[in-house]
């Protein structure tokens, strides 16, 4: 093996040796680890016994410059479970702070995430970072054990890939490795490590950290790092200029708006939208007590620990703004004045509305080439959501049924989704007036590409977890396959697109993971 025990520290920035893990032309790159030490602590993952890999993502491996054959070998299990490092890796945990549930929480940091390094390859010339979640304690673990349990790791793996399949910006999952090492939560659980992949794992909280310490030099270095690496247009403005950091904030606001619009359109509740769980690149990150809505409920709270409903489904767009406001405050010393900062934050509002229009217009099958007034789209969507709320209509299934009914020219029959409510007929007429006559096939095709047949409902994740806990990974693998292409029909998988069973209502997911 070219790897060695994690206990033997990898010297920083080892040049990539001829390496069995990497594709030709791929190499480890000194990205985040090239920043000054104030941003992180170099460290090793803590080994665990008897690692076993249960999920691997060949397509992602290919895309990030890893050889899929390597991913199938024993060395990958050791590396991606945290027992070994490859030459060229430069493992570290980064420091960040943040606001949790509306309150300043002070220093947090990668308490159980360890960045192994970044790979640049012909397939991903901009570079992709590889991070292990659950690979042991770091200086930022506080009271935690640095570990993640099997159930939450299965949920993170499946959901990040489900979001990718839906076309929602997200961190990705490369592998899931388990160990029989006991992990103590409310009960004794199994340890697991998910290898996550993203261009960067920098969060709003990274900026808040240095702002809170009044360390403007580090604040600027970090902003410059993100701008130069990931935001070419913003990088046109000179380092140190107020324009650069205002444009940076506006860019983050815009990316966040695009992400939030997709969440809302797909009925996705994140559950823990703390500023330390907000990606600076506008990626969905840190899958904890998330949930895709079953029946539509604007006030749905998916996180059992969120007693006040701060992160209820319909509040997510406002919370994202609140979080961006915190980021704006952190960047204020670089931007210079409040008015410019507020103006940059306005980008969130100006970007959110059209992003929502696009996402909802696509769900309705509207032709993107013909402009439809925003109030017209809202005028159709809002009464539909009100009916769904009133009749507890299944959110994803209804949209798919609507797509099918457009294809079959059978819209009136959908009234059964609303218990025969006469309001549906009024709505149907209004909706139908919006569609182009004689364009049903094209409209339906747009709708089938915007309204997924399969979403990762809580009970589906739970079934995969229960089976995996008993050693049966088949339900997990089945979900993995189906959720990779959720808009397609998967014959024989109709059960994964059915109404949730009654017990699904009683699943309680909290922050404990
Ligand atoms: P989360 O609510 O999962 O986003 O986590 C908030 C903070 O707690 C982050 O700094 C995490 O790294 C840390 N954390 C969560 N669980 C653990 C754990 N089991 N061990 C160490 N740190 C943890
Ligand atoms: Mg987090």
């Amino acid at each position: 093996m070219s790897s060695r025990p994690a206990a033997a520290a990898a010297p920083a920035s080892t040049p990539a040796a001829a390496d069995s893990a990497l594709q030709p032309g791929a190499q480890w790159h000194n990205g985040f680890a090239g920043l000054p030490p104030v941003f992180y602590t170099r460290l090793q993952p803590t080994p665990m016994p008897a690692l076993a890999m249960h999920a691997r993502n060949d397509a992602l491996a290919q895309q990030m410059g890893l050889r899929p054959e390597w991913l199938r070998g024993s060395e990958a299990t050791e590396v991606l479970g945290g027992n070994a490092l490859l030459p060229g890796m430069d493992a570290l945990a980064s420091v960040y702070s943040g606001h949790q549930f509306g309150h300043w929480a002070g220093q947090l940091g990668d308490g159980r995430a360890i960045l192994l390094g970044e790979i640049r390859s012909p397939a991903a010339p901009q570079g992709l970072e590889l991070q292990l979640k659950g690979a042991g304690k770091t200086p930022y673990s506080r009271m935690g054990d640095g570990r993640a349990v099997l159930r939450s790791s299965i949920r993170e793996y499946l959901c990040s890939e489900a979001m990718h399949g839906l076309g929602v910006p997200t961190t990705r999952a490369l592998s899931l490795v388990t160990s029989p090492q006991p992990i103590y939560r409310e009960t004794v659980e199994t340890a697991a490590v998910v290898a996550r992949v993203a261009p960067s794992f920098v969060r709003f909280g990274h900026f808040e950290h240095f702002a809170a310490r009044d360390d403007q030099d580090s604040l600027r270095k970090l902003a410059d790092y993100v701008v130069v690496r990931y935001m070419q247009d913003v990088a046109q403005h000179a380092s140190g200029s107020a324009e650069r950091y205002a444009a940076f904030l506006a860019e983050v606001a815009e990316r966040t708006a695009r992400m939030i619009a997709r969440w809302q359109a797909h009925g996705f509740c994140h559950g823990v939208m703390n500023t330390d769980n907000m990606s600076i690149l506008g990626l969905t990150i840190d899958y904890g007590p998330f949930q895709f809505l079953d029946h539509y409920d604007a006030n749905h709270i998916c996180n059992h620990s969120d007693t006040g409903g701060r992160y209820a489904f319909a509040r997510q767009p406002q919370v994202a703004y609140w979080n961006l406001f915190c980021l704006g405050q952190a960047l204020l010393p670089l931007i210079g004045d409040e008015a410019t900062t507020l103006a940059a934050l306005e980008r969130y509002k100006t970007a959110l509305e059209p992003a929502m229009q696009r996402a909802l217009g696509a769900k309705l099958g509207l032709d993107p080439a013909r402009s439809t007034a925003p109030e017209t789209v809202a005028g159709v969507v809002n009464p539909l959501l009100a009916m769904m709320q009133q009749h507890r209509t299944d959110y994803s299934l209804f949209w798919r049924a609507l797509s099918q009914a457009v294809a079959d020219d059978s819209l009136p029959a959908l009234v059964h989704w609303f218990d025969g409510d006469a309001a549906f007929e009024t709505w149907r007429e209004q909706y139908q007036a919006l569609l182009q006559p004689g364009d049903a096939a094209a409209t339906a095709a747009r709708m089938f590409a915007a309204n997924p047949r399969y979403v990762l409902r809580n009970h589906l994740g739970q079934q995969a977890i229960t089976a995996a806990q008993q050693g049966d990974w088949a339900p997990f693998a089945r979900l993995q396959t189906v959720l990779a292409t959720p808009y397609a029909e998967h014959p024989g998988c109709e059960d994964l697109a059915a109404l949730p069973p009654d017990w699904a209502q009683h699943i309680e997911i909290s922050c404990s993971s």
Side-chain angles (χ1 to χ4, degrees):
M1 278 198 347
S2 62
S3 54
R4 63 215 125 138
S13 310
T14 315
D19 193 324
S20 64
L22 300 183
Q23 293 167 19
Q27 54 190 327
W28 293 99
H29 174 74
N30 197 13
F32 192 87
L35 286 167
V38 68
F39 292 99
Y40 51 77
T41 303
R42 285 205 162 83
L43 79 180
Q44 311 297 317
T46 306
M48 288 195 287
L51 298 181
M53 189 181 290
H54 294 285
R56 51 176 69 82
N57 191 335
D58 285 337
L60 178 58
Q62 191 70 45
Q63 204 179 315
M64 66 187 293
L66 286 170
R67 290 172 57 243
E69 312 85 78
W70 176 80
L71 191 59
R72 282 191 284 278
S74 58
E75 184 178 272
T77 304
E78 295 303 302
V79 171
L80 299 176
N83 282 6
L85 293 172
L86 293 173
M89 287 179 169
D90 192 357
L92 61 84
S94 73
V95 65
Y96 54 79
S97 295
H99 283 84
Q100 297 186 318
F101 291 92
H103 302 286
W104 176 244
Q107 180 176 308
L108 301 164
D110 292 327
R112 54 173 169 169
I114 297 180
L115 181 67
L116 295 182
E118 177 185 332
I119 302 172
R120 282 191 169 179
S121 69
Q126 303 82 4
L128 285 169
E129 290 186 347
L130 177 60
Q131 187 186 69
L132 301 184
K133 183 166 176 178
K137 280 191 188 162
T138 77
Y140 317 112
S141 299
R142 298 174 294 151
M143 304 299 281
D145 58 4
R147 297 298 181 190
V149 297
L150 179 58
R151 65 183 153 83
S152 62
S153 303
I154 286 178
R155 281 170 55 85
E156 168 128 20
Y157 187 110
L158 286 176
C159 199
S160 39
E161 290 309 298
M163 294 291 261
H164 177 71
L166 288 170
V168 183
T170 179
T171 62
R172 306 285 310 274
L174 177 68
S175 60
L176 191 158
V177 171
T178 63
S179 162
Q181 181 163 310
I183 301 296
Y184 300 94
R185 297 289 183 263
E186 284 83 358
T187 58
V188 181
E189 301 196 43
T190 302
V193 178
V194 169
R196 303 197 286 198
V197 174
S200 171
F201 291 92
V202 170
R203 302 145 189 269
F204 291 11
H206 281 95
F207 293 89
E208 291 180 276
H209 182 76
F210 295 101
R213 279 164 174 63
D214 203 19
D215 180 353
Q216 291 187 26
D217 186 48
S218 300
L219 190 64
R220 186 178 40 73
K221 280 200 178 96
L222 186 61
D224 282 346
Y225 173 77
V226 172
V227 163
V228 169
R229 286 291 315 271
Y230 308 105
M231 299 175 181
Q232 292 318 309
D233 288 351
V234 179
Q236 311 298 320
H237 302 287
S239 172
S241 68
E243 290 77 18
R244 171 176 279 200
Y245 307 107
F248 167 53
L249 180 59
E251 174 71 21
V252 178
E254 178 153 349
R255 290 179 187 220
T256 305
R258 289 201 293 259
M259 174 187 80
I260 293 287
R262 305 279 177 85
W263 287 8
Q264 300 308 114
H266 286 301
F268 176 78
C269 312
H270 182 280
V272 211
M273 285 179 71
N274 295 331
T275 58
D276 56 305
N277 291 337
M278 297 291 292
S279 147
I280 206 74
L281 301 184
L283 308 172
T284 315
I285 191 170
D286 278 14
Y287 292 91
F290 68 82
Q291 185 179 5
F292 283 91
L293 294 179
D294 287 322
H295 67 85
Y296 181 75
D297 177 8
N299 307 315
H300 185 67
I301 303 164
C302 65
N303 180 353
H304 197 61
S305 316
D306 181 12
T307 45
R310 179 178 175 84
Y311 300 138
F313 175 67
R315 297 203 56 190
Q316 296 186 130
Q318 282 159 267
V319 171
Y321 183 80
W322 194 94
N323 290 341
L324 283 160
F325 194 90
C326 291
L327 179 66
Q329 275 181 318
L331 295 176
L332 191 55
L334 303 182
I335 298 175
D337 72 277
E338 268 178 44
T340 314
T341 306
L342 287 171
L345 287 171
E346 275 304 295
R347 179 81 74 83
Y348 177 73
K349 297 176 190 165
T350 52
L352 183 65
E353 189 175 306
M356 288 296 303
Q357 299 297 324
R358 275 196 302 278
L360 294 170
K363 289 180 86 65
L364 291 167
L366 305 185
D367 184 350
R370 291 164 39 94
S371 75
T372 312
E375 46 292 358
T376 311
V377 177
V380 172
V381 170
N382 291 342
L384 174 62
L385 294 180
M387 282 192 295
M388 286 185 169
Q389 176 92 28
Q390 189 189 340
H391 295 280
R392 297 168 62 89
T393 308
D394 188 89
Y395 186 72
S396 299
L397 284 183
F398 176 76
W399 282 107
R400 191 73 177 188
L402 185 67
S403 319
Q404 191 62 54
V406 167
D408 300 343
D409 193 18
S410 62
L411 282 171
L414 292 179
V415 70
H416 75 87
W417 287 89
F418 305 98
D419 310 312
D421 190 337
F424 176 73
E425 187 50 25
T426 312
W427 180 82
R428 185 201 56 85
E429 282 169 14
Q430 191 193 352
Y431 171 51
Q432 212 144 15
L434 213 59
L435 300 180
Q436 284 289 95
D439 193 30
T443 303
R446 283 194 290 272
M447 295 175 78
F448 285 128
N451 297 307
R453 174 106 163 102
Y454 303 95
V455 291
L456 179 63
R457 294 170 189 271
N458 260 352
H459 76 279
L460 297 175
Q462 191 53 49
Q463 284 165 343
I465 290 165
T466 306
Q469 284 170 335
Q470 290 155 14
D472 174 11
W473 285 81
F476 174 96
R478 199 162 161 249
L479 277 175
Q480 202 184 358
T481 305
V482 165
L483 295 172
T485 53
Y487 299 101
E489 296 288 337
H490 292 268
C493 295
E494 291 74 16
D495 57 310
L496 302 180
L499 278 171
D502 283 346
W503 61 264
Q505 292 174 42
H506 308 296
I507 300 172
E508 286 177 0
I509 311 275
S510 70
C511 284
S512 155
S513 61

